[in-house]
Amino acid sequence: MSEQKLTAELRTEFGKGFARRARMAGQIPAVIYGHGAEPIHINLPGRATTLAVRVSNALLAIDVDGEQHLTLVKDIQRDPVKQIIEHVDLQTVQAGEKVTVDIAIHVSGEVAPGAVASLEATTVSLEAEATHVPTAVEVDIEGRKAGENIHASDLVLPKGSTLLTEGDTLVVRIAETASEAEEETTAEAAE
């Protein structure tokens, strides 16, 4: 994942009133923390930040008064109704450093006829290099039959990633379609 570059302003005022004024001026309050340093309170440009954080675990290069900070988005607080970004928490990272992240699972392919797939876990926890965090883990279910479930240990992880989720965690359940299961039950009851 490539880093997005943003220029931030150092924030010296705090509280709800200041945060509200910053958002009205098109800025998003944020904080950079990590590596034992004091937190740095900043304002980010609203539109550019909204575009940059559309993907989970976005890597941002923040310029604060000429000082560069490589950060990973750890949390985004949104307005529950308008869904606008109200605040962003950023964790300082370094190239080559391993970080723990939750990665989305994307399912591709079609199961065998008479089977249906259901996604049981939408994310898995991985340890990955901060500058090479994967955007998703792909799960291919092409041609799988009922009963061929996929667990976390079965996932093909991106290079350099380590699975932190328990290996026996069910990720994709493949079962018979409801109509076939009902027909079998009805046939057994009739006999």
Side-chain angles (χ1 to χ4, degrees):
M1 175 187 318
S2 63
E3 60 192 58
Q4 303 278 331
K5 297 181 188 311
L6 296 174
T7 303
E9 297 174 5
L10 203 55
R11 185 164 47 119
T12 56
E13 297 181 68
F14 306 97
K16 272 199 278 186
F18 176 74
R20 192 175 297 125
R21 285 191 299 276
R23 285 190 289 272
M24 296 219 15
Q27 298 178 323
I28 298 173
V31 64
I32 300 173
Y33 62 89
H35 291 282
E38 286 292 315
I40 303 169
H41 299 275
I42 58 174
N43 282 329
L44 295 168
R47 179 156 171 71
T49 303
T50 301
L51 292 173
V53 300
R54 287 187 306 185
V55 296
S56 60
N57 302 311
L59 187 64
L60 305 176
I62 309 287
D63 181 350
V64 183
D65 296 332
E67 188 177 332
Q68 296 294 321
H69 297 275
L70 186 62
T71 63
L72 194 64
V73 175
K74 286 312 263 183
D75 191 34
I76 300 173
Q77 290 87 42
R78 295 181 188 272
D79 180 280
V81 176
K82 298 178 185 175
Q83 289 298 303
I84 59 169
I85 297 175
E86 292 187 335
H87 189 272
V88 179
D89 290 344
L90 304 165
Q91 179 182 0
T92 300
V93 294
Q94 297 172 347
E97 175 184 5
K98 295 279 189 171
V99 293
T100 300
V101 291
D102 289 335
I103 304 297
I105 295 175
H106 290 174
V107 178
S108 62
E110 294 290 327
V111 292
V116 63
S118 65
L119 188 61
E120 299 293 322
T122 57
T123 63
V124 289
S125 292
L126 299 180
E127 183 178 67
E129 190 176 318
T131 54
H132 298 292
V133 174
T135 55
V137 174
E138 292 292 327
V139 178
D140 185 17
I141 60 169
E142 187 65 42
R144 297 230 182 198
K145 297 177 179 74
E148 293 183 30
N149 297 327
I150 300 170
H151 295 86
S153 59
D154 301 328
L155 298 175
V156 177
L157 301 177
K159 183 180 175 193
S161 299
T162 307
L163 182 67
L164 298 179
T165 300
E166 293 291 326
D168 62 349
T169 302
L170 183 60
V171 177
V172 179
R173 178 185 312 274
I174 301 174
E176 291 181 31
T177 57
S179 61
E180 285 187 15
E182 289 172 5
E183 288 174 12
E184 286 180 17
T185 306
T186 307
E188 288 173 7
E191 291 176 2

